[in-house]
Amino acid sequence: MSSSIHLKQIDHRFTLAKQQVSLFEDLNIELHSGQSYAIVGPSGVGKSSLLLLMAGLEPPVSGEVQFQKSGKPQLLKSLRQISGFIFQQFHLLPELDALNNVALPLKLKGDKRALTTAELWLDKVGLAERMYHKPQQLSGGEQQRVAIARAFVMQPQFIFADEPTGNLDEKTAQHIAQLMFDCCQQSGAGLVLVTHSMELAQQADTLLQLGQGKLTVKARNQATSRVGALC
């Protein structure tokens, strides 16, 4: 079943020192499951805010964020229920081993096969032999692989990743990025990531560039277009 996220006429701003700072104005864009998108741009232009809007985690000041399945509108809260999240900070529970960190979302839903499914995903990310280790016993790259497995364990239709390789060395970051893209491709999930790395961003199907008052959209091997404005 194909899914899509539609941002329609989005305006978004925040207040800083009693001054209103506008991030997006009349922004329109569509995201589709099975496709990958990279949000890039200078610090402070609103990359993470855009990611939160796309994920339905933050409401825009005006405009509409719509989630659709097979072209039919769905409640926005249903998007959050079928989404996975990967962050720069791994957000693993220190008292749980890798297996139970990955299994936790399934356990919270009462899934009796939670541990079995978690084992399968840890094997997919190359951590079958480390599943009983706690986060403090794992390297940064291994912790991020646990976080990736946890994000995919619920069979999400979209993965949202905010600087997922920001705390990793270059070699480990390349491995983690490839793993993330591979998992999305195999599962059919859409991937939306924020990154400062142009090398990582260029692996995505579509580049979303924030800067100079514009959102510039460039599909791989296609011409550049501009969608909406930033002020």
Side-chain angles (χ1 to χ4, degrees), residues 5 21 47 49 82-84 102 118 122 176 187 194 204 206-207:
I5 301 168
V21 179
K47 299 186 297 296
S49 293
I82 51 85
S83 295
V102 175
L122 283 170
I176 291 297
S187 68
V194 169
T206 301
L207 191 67

Side-chain angles (χ1 to χ4, degrees), residues 17-197:
K18 298 183 180 181
Q19 297 284 330
Q20 281 204 340
V21 179
S22 180
L23 291 177
F24 317 125
E25 187 174 291
D26 195 30
L27 186 149
N28 299 274
I29 193 167
E30 295 183 10
L31 310 171
H32 297 272
S33 57
Q35 296 291 307
S36 56
Y37 305 83
I39 304 172
V40 299
S43 296
V45 295
K47 299 186 297 296
S48 293
S49 293
L50 180 56
L51 187 77
L52 293 174
L53 289 171
M54 290 172 167
L57 295 177
E58 184 176 313
V61 171
S62 64
E64 181 183 11
V65 180
Q66 189 180 87
F67 175 51
Q68 297 184 5
K69 287 185 179 180
S70 300
K72 297 181 180 179
Q74 309 290 318
L75 292 175
L76 193 57
K77 67 178 182 181
S78 65
L79 169 61
R80 298 190 287 269
Q81 293 168 353
I82 51 85
S83 295
F85 298 90
I86 305 170
F87 301 99
Q88 182 173 350
Q89 305 296 332
F90 314 123
H91 296 302
L92 303 178
L93 295 179
E95 66 272 19
L96 299 181
D97 59 23
L99 178 62
N100 281 282
N101 263 290
V102 175
L104 185 59
L106 294 174
K107 286 184 173 183
L108 293 174
K109 290 188 66 177
D111 189 332
K112 295 180 179 179
R113 299 189 71 255
L115 291 174
T116 300
T117 305
E119 285 182 13
L120 291 174
W121 271 103
L122 283 170
D123 184 49
K124 287 184 179 182
V125 299
L127 289 178
E129 296 181 357
R130 305 282 279 168
M131 67 175 62
Y132 299 115
H133 289 70
K134 292 184 177 180
Q136 61 268 28
Q137 299 171 303
L138 302 172
S139 68
E142 288 172 333
Q143 289 185 62
Q144 192 61 297
R145 280 191 273 167
V146 174
I148 290 172
R150 183 183 57 191
F152 280 95
V153 77
M154 296 286 288
Q155 297 182 313
Q157 294 183 29
F158 283 94
I159 291 287
F160 297 94
D162 195 352
E163 293 288 355
T165 62
N167 279 340
L168 306 174
D169 62 78
E170 184 176 353
K171 183 178 180 180
T172 303
Q174 291 174 354
H175 176 73
I176 291 297
Q178 190 61 55
L179 179 64
M180 199 165 46
F181 279 102
D182 288 347
C183 286
C184 279
Q185 186 175 30
Q186 291 171 16
S187 68
L191 173 64
V192 188
L193 66 93
V194 169
T195 181
H196 280 94
S197 169

